[in-house]
Each structure stands twice: as structure tokens, then as C-alpha cells.
Amino acid sequence: MLLDFFYELRRRKVPVSTHEWMALMRALELGLHESSLDGFYDLARALVVKELAHFDAFDAAFLAVFQGVTVEALSITDDIEAWLKEAMKRELSPEELALARALSPDELRALFEKRLREQRERHDGGNRWVGTGGTSPFGRAGAHPTGIVIGEGGGRSAMQRAGERAYRAYRTDAVLDVRKIDVALRLLRDLGRDGADEELDLDETVERTAKNAGDLDLVFHPPRRNRVKVVLLMDVGGSMDPHAELVNRLFTAASRSGRFAKFRSFYFHNCVYRAVYQDANLRSPTPVADLLGSSDRSEKLVVVGDAAMHPAELLLPGGSYWSDLATKTSGLEWMQRLGDHYRKSAWLNPEPESWWNQTTVQRLRAVFPMFPLTLDGLERAVHHLVRGAS
Amino acid sequence: MNEGFDRFSGTSDYVASDSLKHAVNVALALERPLLVRGEPGTGKTLLAESIAKALSLPIIRWHVKSTTKAQDGLYVHDTVQRLHDSRFGDGDVRDVKRYIKLGPLGRALSSDERVVLLIDEIDKADVEFPNDLLLELDAMRFHVQETGEEIVALLRPMVLITSNNEKELPDAFLRRCVFHYIEFPSRELMRQIVRVHHPDLEERVLDQCLEVFYGLRETPRLRKKPSTSELIDWIAALRRSGVDLKRVGGGIPFLGTLLKTEQDQALFVQ
């Protein structure tokens, strides 16, 4: 059963290794779980889960395995039975037992096992499932006079805590704040020594001093700096409005001074045609040709946008009916030029991946490697950008 | 209950939740580092002091900065001093040992007694920093190159590592730790915590303070929610100045102790 839990965790992408599992086994041997499910929940979580982002998956796996909603429901009934008997002993007074005419304990248990097998989720309220605060015969804090009370009184039981799924908000696919983006962007680097001699090179100093017959000869070298240069293109307006705050955070983190050797950002609407803009109001254009001319091919191009537009806006020459910059080149071609110029580029899309089957998204994906604008997607994008960095 | 287990149960001046105590004890029993995360101001650093006090062990603190290198924690060979001495003939330059300065981790490992080692804010250092510590934290031993000495910990120190950040520490490092996330205290726990710092506070006043505090935390779109330490400071400020909370209509006195950015203050005033 514990092994089931192990594989359930792995199936839910909690990266638990055998190393950690052996530690858990040792902890169980030492009795650190205090022979209770609650203790086991705390213990297993402390040893197995190392990131807040995985707490939710852990809770879900814990529920799945220990509530017996997976296929092998009966294999856990030994535990539940023992638990059940104990609960009945403790929670029901003789008066309450006398009230229990409607169902005999055996009938009740049989029904309980049946319900348990059918039940898929935690349940609060209601009159059928095992849960809390309802009138079903099973669960806690309910109103059924002959019901089975599950778990111990006082404090929250492990099942309840797992059932609350209180850490859902911390999943990695959830909100990105500036700091998280910061962390992800820290990996976007290529360290090298450039600039003025500011740092004391100790080894070299010792070496030279020794050669100099003990007369101090100080040697300095330039400090290590990030050599990555970044061009950030941001789609603004229209369908991007709901994502403005998120893009703003990305911009805040990326533009932090000293992060990159060179950082430039431009705006566009829907798709790039002929020019990108230095301001979000699209008033001061920089022609694409100038942008390409002023950037080294080793600079990293990051485009942020939902790539959602009318196919004509992307594919037809002069498709940009919203502006006066209609040209004979289609938006896709402009995008292609950008994609061809930079050796490494990435497109960050704030829309969920399940929406990426639209024509325009598909076409642009063929030009730029596309990643979702989530913590996970951002990390993958950064990884892609620095891999094989030159 | 197992012998030698459940040794930590909080101290008179530090209130810990049950699952935190449990995590500390698991780390103690398994002799693994305990990694603690949580919102700023939830008492991550104070936990180390509390453990040291509860177990009556000395504490060694290592406050990590952005420039900290793993090697600094073990030892530094003070070459500049040695060069200086060699030139001006102060002291015996041939004795390398004199110029090996042990860092916090080095001192913890070479200590004759068991110690609590606090590695504070490990996420501040370079991303590779935790990886560089893997071997030393695992084997609890290190090698001093200059003298050829091998320092092995006689008693594995209780290592407590704090981090403010999400998703940053390398997997190999995480695998070796016991992890605990300090949740923001519930109202009940918070009541106990405030009691520890302000034992003579009236129940009625405490109720009002908590009411205002939790109300403030629920204000949407706050950049930085006020934390436990800020609540305690705020109550201290209120008491020091003798302001009666229930007589203050409208605004919150000393808002600056709770909300630390102009945007948040502006948001609240709205």
C-alpha cells in the first residue's frame, strides 16, 4: 500500500526519489509517525515534498491512496475497518448506540465500504458521500444519528487537511510574481570576464609575488558579468489586455539593472509589421530593419504575446488594417525575418497551451519555439535560450 | 515513543505549530538538514534560536549574502595576511594553519559538542551555492587543502536552512533535506504568539488588534501583506504611545508599521 502511494506520487509528478523513500521507511521504523495517519501525513510530506508547488499534488495523491478511491479500494479496508471500529468505540455513547436502529453495524460497514469505493473526492455537506458536515451516515460533524464518525475529534485530521487541498494556489502553473520571474531569469546568463580590472586575482598575485622574491605584486582582473543580451518584444492592447499585469511583471524583472549586458524592449500590436515601437502607445516607431541592424545575432529575442489575431492579419500582405503602415510584406514574413536573424528566440504565450490550436498560433509556433507564460514555461524558455549559447 | 525523539516542543518565547515541531523532530531523529520556507516574518530565523535554546545547544549562524561562496562557510586561507606577514616578518609564515580561518560551517563541523547551525536565507546566494554544499552537508566532513587535514564532525550538527524563495534550490540538494513550509498562523495560534511577546495585553484589545490585522491582510492586491513580526511591532507601538484602539475612529494608527509600501498604503486609504 505504501508503494502504491509512492507510485501515485510519481504519477502526479511529485519528484520523489528512492533516496527519500528509504529515509521515510527509516523514519517509520523509528516510529516518527507516532502510529497515526496524521503523523504519517506530516512525516511523509516533510520528507518527500520539497517544494510548496508540490503540496497540492501530494494532498491529491494522499487522498487518492488513503481514501481508497483508486481501483484497489478493498485493499485498504483493513486500515479503514480498524479505524472505523475505533471511531465507533470512541465516538458513540450508549444512548446513541441505542438510537442506531436503522442500520446494524455490519450493514453500516458494508454500506460504508461500498460508498467509499464509489466516492471520488472529498465531500462536505450533502446526504450521501463520506465527508463532513452532512447528513450521510458517514463522516464527521454530521447530523445522522446512527452515522459513523470518521477520524478523531479535536484538531484537523490528515484526511481533512489533505482534503482541503489548501495548497492548490501554490501550484507552479499558478500566478507568477516578479520575484519568481526573477529567479527564473537568473538562469539566463553566460558569465564572462569583461570590463575594468576591479577584482584582486589572488592566485596570480601570490604567483607573481613569489617570483618577485617576496615583493608584493598585486594582480587585478575584471569581475565576472552576465554577457547575455536580450531583446524583448511585447504585444499590447486588444486580446492582450487581460494579461497586461503579468507582462508588466515580466518586464519589471527583466529590466532590472545589471541583469543583462544589454536589454532592449519594444512593443507591437497583434503582429510585427515593418516597425516595432518604443512605447506602449505605439507612437515612436523603430523600423524592424534598424532593430536587426543594431542587434548582434547572438542576442536573445523574447516575444510575449497571445499570437491570437485574424488569419488575414498574419498571412495577407498589408494585413495590418489597424495601422497606416500597410506594406507588401505579410506579418508572418516580418516575424520570419526576426526569427531568422536571432540565433536563439522564444515566444512566451500567456494563454494556456490548450488554446494553441488556432491557425495563427500554429503558424507562429513554426517560427518561434513557443512556451506558456508560467513559471514552468518560463524556465523551459530560459533553458532553451541558454542551451548551446555562443 | 522512541527514545531520543520528540525533543523539541517550542520554547516559552517561540510558539510552533504541531506540524513544525514534528518536522524539527524528524530532522533531529534522521540527522538531516531541515529546510524551512515561508512568508517573510513568520519566524524562520527565530526557529533556530528556539531549537538551540530548547535543546541547550550552542548556535552558529551563517547569514548568507549575495556574494557568499560555499568555500567561505568552510574556511578561508588568508593569503593577503600571509603575504603581508611574509613581507614584514610578523609571525611564522611557514605555519599554514595560522592562516586558515574556519567559516561557520567549518566551525560547526569541527566543534567538540553538538551545535545548531543556521544557514540563513540560502536563496540569496548564487544559484549554484547549495550544490557546492552538498557533500559537506551529507558527509559532514571536509578537507583542508592547504594543510591536508580532514575535518570530520564528531556529532552531526542540527542544520537549519531558511529560504524565502520558491523553486530555486537544486533537486539534489532538496533530496537530502527535511522540508517544512511555515504557514501563516491561524488566529488562534497568532493569539498565543502575541501573548508570548505581550503577556499583559488585555484580551479585549488583543481581539481588536487581531480583527484589524486579519482584515488588513485580506485587503485585495496588497503587494506585501503584513506579517507576524509586523503585528508584534504594531502592538508594541500602540502600547508605547498609549493609543486606545477602540477610540480611534476610521484610520489605523501607525499604519507604517504594518504596510511598508506607498502603493499599499494608498490602496488601504481608498
Side-chain angles (χ1 to χ4, degrees):
Chain A
M1 180 177 175
L2 283 176
L3 266 183
D4 284 351
F5 185 44
F6 178 72
Y7 285 105
E8 184 67 23
L9 283 169
R10 291 204 56 101
R11 200 174 65 73
R12 290 177 191 267
K13 303 245 167 16
V14 178
V16 38
S17 66
T18 42
H19 191 98
E20 283 154 324
W21 201 251
M22 294 319 290
L24 178 60
M25 294 301 119
R26 216 186 114 216
L28 289 177
E29 251 169 57
L30 289 171
L32 300 189
H33 59 305
E34 300 169 326
S35 309
S36 74
L37 199 60
D38 286 13
F40 177 71
Y41 174 84
D42 277 338
L43 178 69
R45 200 177 70 177
L47 284 172
V48 166
V49 192
K50 303 299 163 64
E51 269 163 34
L52 195 50
H54 294 140
F55 272 20
D56 187 48
F58 176 85
D59 281 355
F62 190 87
L63 275 181
V65 174
F66 295 98
Q67 233 178 19
V69 297
T70 46
V71 228
E72 301 264 328
L74 278 178
S75 73
I76 66 148
T77 42
D78 284 355
D79 293 31
I80 300 271
E81 253 185 40
W83 180 18
L84 214 63
K85 277 180 189 147
E86 209 195 357
M88 283 167 66
K89 226 180 290 161
R90 192 179 314 140
E91 305 280 351
L92 296 185
S93 65
E95 296 82 45
E96 284 171 316
L97 276 172
L99 270 172
R101 286 184 305 261
L103 293 163
S104 75
D106 280 347
E107 282 169 342
L108 199 59
R109 200 175 62 217
L111 192 58
F112 176 71
E113 284 170 6
K114 186 162 162 280
R115 289 280 163 83
L116 207 56
R117 245 171 298 153
E118 291 168 24
Q119 185 170 355
R120 301 256 144 221
E121 287 290 329
R122 170 189 160 81
H123 189 70
D124 297 294
N127 59 12
R128 181 176 167 85
W129 298 122
V130 180
T132 58
T135 53
S136 151
F138 316 114
R140 301 184 74 244
H144 194 281
T146 69
I148 293 175
V149 178
I150 300 171
E152 298 166 45
R156 301 176 306 154
S157 76
M159 276 304 174
Q160 270 183 299
R161 283 163 61 191
E164 277 166 15
R165 305 275 301 268
Y167 298 97
R168 207 184 293 250
Y170 292 109
R171 294 188 75 113
T172 338
D173 31 352
V175 238
L176 273 172
D177 57 32
V178 176
R179 199 163 164 75
K180 284 184 191 158
I181 299 174
D182 244 5
V183 171
L185 289 181
R186 264 172 80 173
L187 293 171
L188 186 51
R189 60 179 187 178
D190 166 30
L191 294 174
R193 297 198 182 279
D194 277 324
D197 288 345
E198 287 167 1
E199 262 175 25
L200 178 66
D201 184 341
L202 260 183
D203 292 343
E204 196 56 32
T205 303
V206 173
E207 181 80 26
R208 295 253 203 107
T209 305
K211 280 189 182 145
N212 213 3
D215 227 20
L216 266 184
D217 185 359
L218 298 171
V219 183
F220 292 88
H221 59 191
R224 297 207 303 166
R225 284 206 179 92
N226 192 357
R227 288 191 296 205
V228 170
K229 297 174 183 170
V230 172
V231 177
L232 180 66
L233 293 184
M234 291 168 285
D235 185 359
V236 286
S239 55
M240 282 298 287
D241 281 345
H243 308 295
E245 176 62 28
L246 188 58
V247 177
N248 184 21
R249 286 186 205 146
L250 177 71
F251 175 79
T252 310
S255 59
R256 197 152 287 185
S257 72
R259 174 177 296 282
F260 302 117
K262 184 173 166 191
F263 174 78
R264 288 181 297 166
S265 60
F266 298 97
Y267 298 87
F268 64 95
H269 179 63
N270 265 345
C271 185
V272 174
Y273 312 94
R274 212 175 68 87
V276 289
Y277 298 84
Q278 287 153 33
D279 60 320
N281 300 325
L282 310 179
R283 293 269 153 80
S284 35
T286 300
V288 171
D290 288 4
L291 172 63
L292 297 185
S294 64
S295 39
D296 201 74
R297 283 172 50 87
S298 65
E299 289 185 22
K300 319 278 184 201
L301 175 70
V302 180
V303 189
V304 186
D306 57 2
M309 62 199 97
H310 192 276
E313 289 179 280
L314 182 66
L315 303 173
L316 287 186
S320 59
Y321 59 72
W322 63 274
S323 85
D324 56 357
L325 288 172
T327 57
K328 291 210 176 73
T329 315
S330 74
L332 188 62
E333 274 177 65
W334 284 114
M335 285 301 199
Q336 189 75 52
R337 283 182 200 178
L338 286 166
D340 287 346
H341 179 80
Y342 298 98
R343 265 189 223 116
K344 288 280 179 184
S345 55
W347 185 296
L348 293 169
N349 194 332
E351 296 289 357
E353 264 170 286
S354 51
W355 293 21
W356 292 6
N357 47 14
Q358 304 168 46
T359 332
T360 53
V361 184
Q362 291 293 348
R363 297 300 286 262
L364 285 166
R365 270 185 92 175
V367 181
F368 302 100
M370 196 173 279
F371 304 91
L373 186 46
T374 59
L375 191 54
D376 178 56
L378 191 60
E379 275 170 7
R380 280 191 284 138
V382 165
H383 197 72
H384 162 78
L385 289 172
V386 290
R387 206 173 356 165
S390 52
Chain B
M1 184 116 337
N2 207 290
E3 187 66 25
F5 173 56
D6 206 14
R7 281 174 292 183
F8 177 71
S9 50
T11 45
S12 58
D13 53 3
Y14 188 89
V15 183
S17 71
D18 286 343
S19 64
L20 175 58
K21 285 179 213 162
H22 198 208
V24 172
N25 288 320
V26 169
L28 281 168
L30 295 182
E31 300 188 321
R32 283 174 177 238
L34 174 64
L35 171 65
V36 184
R37 277 192 185 142
E39 268 183 50
T42 38
K44 297 187 290 294
T45 307
L46 284 177
L47 175 64
E49 315 268 347
S50 170
I51 295 172
K53 194 169 161 191
L55 307 180
S56 352
L57 298 177
I59 180 169
I60 294 179
R61 300 176 191 81
W62 185 8
H63 298 285
V64 176
K65 295 176 191 148
S66 63
T67 51
T68 305
K69 300 267 182 307
Q71 185 63 40
D72 302 346
L74 295 171
Y75 69 92
V76 269
H77 178 197
D78 194 346
T79 35
V80 174
Q81 179 69 47
R82 198 158 165 226
L83 275 173
H84 181 272
D85 288 359
S86 75
R87 193 164 182 205
F88 300 105
D90 300 343
D92 184 5
V93 189
R94 278 164 302 179
D95 186 8
V96 189
K97 267 191 186 167
R98 291 190 52 225
Y99 300 98
I100 301 289
K101 303 257 155 66
L102 288 180
L105 181 57
R107 273 183 282 136
L109 295 186
S110 58
S111 167
D112 298 333
E113 49 181 340
R114 199 169 186 207
V115 298
V116 175
L117 172 66
L118 165 70
I119 304 180
D120 206 13
E121 307 198 53
I122 195 167
D123 51 313
K124 267 197 194 159
D126 191 79
V127 269
E128 289 307 324
F129 178 78
N131 273 336
D132 298 344
L133 287 178
L134 280 185
L135 185 70
E136 285 76 15
L137 286 181
D138 222 20
M140 294 291 179
R141 56 162 67 204
F142 68 98
H143 187 77
V144 183
Q145 245 175 2
E146 283 78 358
T147 59
E149 219 181 334
E150 183 84 6
I151 295 184
V152 185
L154 297 172
L155 293 158
R156 291 173 77 92
M158 158 76 200
V159 182
L160 183 85
I161 301 166
T162 75
S163 163
N164 278 325
N165 231 323
E166 261 299 282
K167 247 277 185 206
E168 192 190 347
L169 302 170
D171 291 347
F173 180 80
L174 292 175
R175 205 159 52 229
R176 290 165 170 84
C177 301
V178 175
F179 175 64
H180 184 77
Y181 177 76
I182 300 192
E183 279 174 76
F184 197 80
S186 64
R187 223 172 246 238
E188 211 26 65
L189 194 60
M190 185 61 90
R191 187 179 291 276
Q192 292 177 34
I193 295 170
V194 177
R195 276 267 162 267
V196 164
H197 295 269
H198 300 284
D200 51 339
L201 191 68
E202 268 180 71
E203 197 64 33
R204 196 171 40 87
V205 180
L206 177 56
D207 276 340
Q208 284 170 334
C209 290
L210 289 179
E211 194 63 42
V212 172
F213 178 71
Y214 278 92
L216 200 59
R217 272 184 64 88
E218 273 154 31
T219 309
R221 302 195 308 278
L222 275 192
R223 273 168 184 245
K224 158 97 182 66
K225 290 181 181 176
S227 67
T228 312
S229 59
E230 280 147 356
L231 171 67
I232 289 163
D233 288 351
W234 180 56
I235 294 178
L238 285 179
R239 301 186 75 197
R240 190 79 48 91
S241 66
V243 173
D244 191 347
L245 198 62
K246 59 183 184 301
R247 260 185 245 147
V248 178
I252 298 175
F254 309 114
L255 191 61
T257 54
L258 290 172
L259 297 180
K260 305 286 173 73
T261 69
E262 297 123 74
Q263 289 100 320
D264 282 355
Q265 292 201 359
L267 196 68
F268 179 74
V269 171
Q270 279 171 21

